[in-house]
Amino acid sequence: MRKGKLGIWIAVTALLLSVLSGCSGGGSNKGDNAQGSGSESKTDSSAKAVTLKMVMWDSNNDFITFLNDKVKEYTQVKPNVTIELESFKSDSDYLQAVKVRAGGNALPDIIELKPNWLSDFKEQLMPLDGLGFVSGNKYADKYKVDGKILAVPSVSFPELVYYHPSVFKELNLEVPTTWPQFIDVLNKIKDNGTYIPYAMGGKDAWPDYPFNEFLPHILSDDENYLSAMAEQDAPFAKGTAFYEGFSQIAQLYDAKVMGPDPLGVGWDQATDLFVSKQAAVVASGLWFVPTYVSKTGSSDDLAAFPMPYRQNEDTPLKLMTFTDHFYGISSSTKYADEAKAFMEWFYSPEVYQDYIDHAQLGSAYEGIDANVPFLQDFYNNNKNEPFLYIPGNAAYTDLANAIQLDVKALGQEMMAGKTVDEISTDLNGKWSKAKSGK
């Protein structure tokens, strides 16, 4: 009995000494305990207090609220570290603000980026190669800048053509799998006269991106097509993917299947036409589904198919797949270790699963699937071959900036009547002059 009590006393004393030792040691603010579940807490209470500033954009208020609450959970892992999340509703406002701060060397510690912004911010981002949260990312390696991983994508998603199954059933239409079939379906909807075939929203330039931005890229059959353009002297000439793609787009615009005034209607109005079933078809990324459901209460009369860019069924049906919401660490941060530790936690399986389920987009990580029923149904019902959108390299970006290349604005001009030959001649001249000046 006495030996038993002594044993208990020794064990209790050892435990107290262990706790006291943990409370008094170090004073380090290194974030090496942050990996894994958000419920873990091992941090030294005397560690230096650190505030990490994180900046992001999203148009979805509910998602912003979720993310703001989520990053606060990090204090359960590292009580001395506070995450301050700043959000923007518009990516254009966000980009402008981040550029101003980069110019003043005042970037937040953790920055959200689009893939085509990575080259622009390469001097302001810390290389992430070799870090744990990078290794499981399916796409990070494809977006290296000068051989370095500067940010990792948080989501991937397919670009889709949405339609109302009830309209297709009413008009006895089949889902198209080739470009001629696609235009034929839209023409049949126009001829019926009940619905606007395609809701464009051309008053805003960007809604034509599934055509003017993606079609030449898909036709090139080269995910690095834009970077390859930088090596060409006349990448807009006849016979190039650009010229052939724009010629294909002209067939669509010339068919007049986008309502009476596609340039007089913005994206919000166009999607309202689709949501209210005045329009039959619209194209956008997977991110459109939550918007649709929020306005209609369900996705019962919503389905999607891959944009059929191909001319015939002898070639694979490519599905443009986009990655987005890249996060990187500012090279000017004073808390590099803490920022890396936070990123390890942010992309740990449990935390990331919660993130991706709330984002309602596809996963960018191996072994983690997004719980998005609409996406799962789409993949179950549509055979396709994923084609990853990769932005141009620094050489392409420099040339594109030099000639102020804006393919989405060119889409507006095409809808207004500008011909592909006019665009090709103009761009080749500017490109050649810009290249010769390098």
Side-chain angles (χ1 to χ4, degrees):
M1 179 68 76
R2 287 174 62 86
K3 286 180 67 177
K5 287 184 177 179
L6 179 61
I8 292 171
W9 183 86
I10 291 171
V12 170
T13 301
L15 177 61
L16 287 172
L17 288 172
S18 173
V19 171
L20 290 171
S21 174
C23 289
S24 62
S28 167
N29 58 352
K30 291 181 179 179
D32 53 1
N33 287 329
Q35 294 186 36
S37 164
S39 62
E40 186 179 8
S41 179
K42 298 180 179 178
T43 300
D44 183 345
S45 61
S46 65
K48 175 184 176 182
V50 170
T51 297
L52 294 176
K53 295 184 177 180
M54 179 177 179
V55 63
M56 55 85 75
W57 81 87
D58 203 291
S59 59
N60 186 328
N61 284 329
D62 290 341
F63 184 74
I64 292 173
T65 299
F66 155 76
L67 193 59
N68 197 42
D69 292 342
K70 193 69 189 176
V71 298
K72 287 179 181 175
E73 293 178 10
Y74 189 59
T75 56
Q76 298 173 31
V77 179
K78 299 286 284 187
N80 65 310
V81 179
T82 300
I83 309 296
E84 282 188 1
L85 182 68
E86 181 183 9
S87 60
F88 288 76
K89 294 295 296 289
S90 156
D91 57 1
S92 57
D93 291 343
Y94 171 87
L95 179 59
Q96 184 176 5
V98 170
K99 282 184 173 178
V100 169
R101 294 179 197 185
N105 197 29
L107 280 174
D109 304 282
I110 298 166
I111 315 160
E112 186 172 15
L113 297 156
K114 282 187 171 293
N116 53 326
W117 299 348
L118 295 178
S119 290
D120 293 337
F121 287 93
K122 65 180 182 180
E123 302 299 333
Q124 287 83 30
L125 292 168
M126 177 182 298
L128 305 176
D129 303 78
L131 297 179
F133 66 90
V134 175
S135 62
N137 195 287
K138 293 187 283 188
Y139 306 107
D141 198 53
K142 289 181 174 285
Y143 293 90
K144 286 183 175 179
V145 177
D146 296 339
K148 300 174 184 175
I149 296 174
L150 300 179
V152 295
S154 299
V155 300
S156 68
F157 54 86
E159 294 289 338
L160 303 173
V161 184
Y162 297 95
Y163 69 102
H164 294 295
S166 62
V167 173
F168 273 47
K169 182 178 180 180
E170 175 189 340
L171 303 183
N172 196 29
L173 301 172
E174 297 289 332
V175 168
T177 63
T178 68
W179 189 255
Q181 291 175 11
F182 180 56
I183 293 180
D184 183 57
V185 163
L186 296 177
N187 273 323
K188 286 178 177 174
I189 297 171
K190 183 178 73 171
D191 293 342
N192 173 269
T194 305
Y195 308 101
I196 296 171
Y198 186 95
M200 169 52 83
K203 186 176 181 179
D204 300 318
W206 66 266
D208 64 34
Y209 76 89
F211 308 111
N212 288 79
E213 186 172 14
F214 288 168
L215 207 158
H217 205 147
I218 286 272
L219 285 191
S220 74
D221 200 27
D222 178 4
E223 292 178 336
N224 291 295
Y225 156 70
L226 296 176
S227 297
M229 285 179 70
E231 305 298 321
Q232 301 173 22
D233 294 327
F236 311 100
K238 285 184 179 179
T240 63
F242 180 92
Y243 189 95
E244 300 306 317
F246 267 49
S247 298
Q248 200 165 310
I249 296 164
Q251 296 169 2
L252 174 70
Y253 294 160
D254 291 346
K256 307 297 182 188
V257 290
M258 297 176 173
D261 187 14
L263 290 171
V265 177
W267 172 252
D268 290 341
Q269 294 167 291
T271 51
D272 282 345
L273 290 171
F274 179 76
V275 167
S276 62
K277 208 175 163 180
Q278 297 178 67
V281 173
V282 69
S284 78
L286 182 64
W287 47 265
F288 174 65
V289 176
T291 301
Y292 180 89
V293 172
S294 70
K295 292 183 177 181
T296 64
S298 78
S299 59
D300 291 347
D301 194 23
L302 184 71
F305 56 86
M307 180 67 80
Y309 297 114
R310 63 180 180 177
Q311 286 291 340
N312 58 64
E313 295 181 344
D314 295 334
T315 55
L317 181 56
K318 300 289 180 67
L319 176 66
M320 182 60 88
T321 303
F322 206 77
T323 53
D324 206 349
H325 300 292
F326 286 63
Y327 280 102
I329 299 174
S330 168
S331 56
S332 62
T333 180
K334 297 177 182 176
Y335 306 112
D337 287 346
E338 288 81 359
K340 292 175 184 175
F342 169 74
M343 296 276 273
E344 296 284 4
W345 172 82
F346 189 66
Y347 289 113
S348 63
E350 180 182 337
V351 177
Y352 179 70
Q353 183 74 66
D354 202 16
Y355 172 93
I356 201 69
D357 289 346
H358 279 80
Q360 285 292 286
L361 296 170
S363 170
Y365 273 84
E366 297 284 357
I368 298 178
D369 295 323
N371 295 312
V372 183
F374 187 91
L375 182 61
Q376 292 163 355
D377 288 344
F378 168 79
Y379 283 124
N380 288 336
N381 296 324
N382 292 276
K383 292 182 179 179
N384 60 79
E385 184 176 300
F387 183 94
L388 191 63
Y389 176 87
I390 298 179
N393 59 14
Y396 168 81
T397 302
D398 288 346
L399 286 166
N401 289 340
I403 70 169
Q404 298 183 316
L405 179 61
D406 185 343
V407 293
K408 287 166 278 198
L410 290 174
Q412 289 179 306
E413 293 179 19
M414 291 175 71
M415 283 182 255
K418 194 166 187 176
T419 68
V420 178
D421 281 332
E422 290 173 328
I423 292 170
S424 169
T425 301
D426 180 52
L427 291 181
N428 273 327
K430 291 178 179 177
W431 188 269
S432 178
K433 185 176 180 180
K435 278 202 83 175
S436 64
K438 294 292 180 185

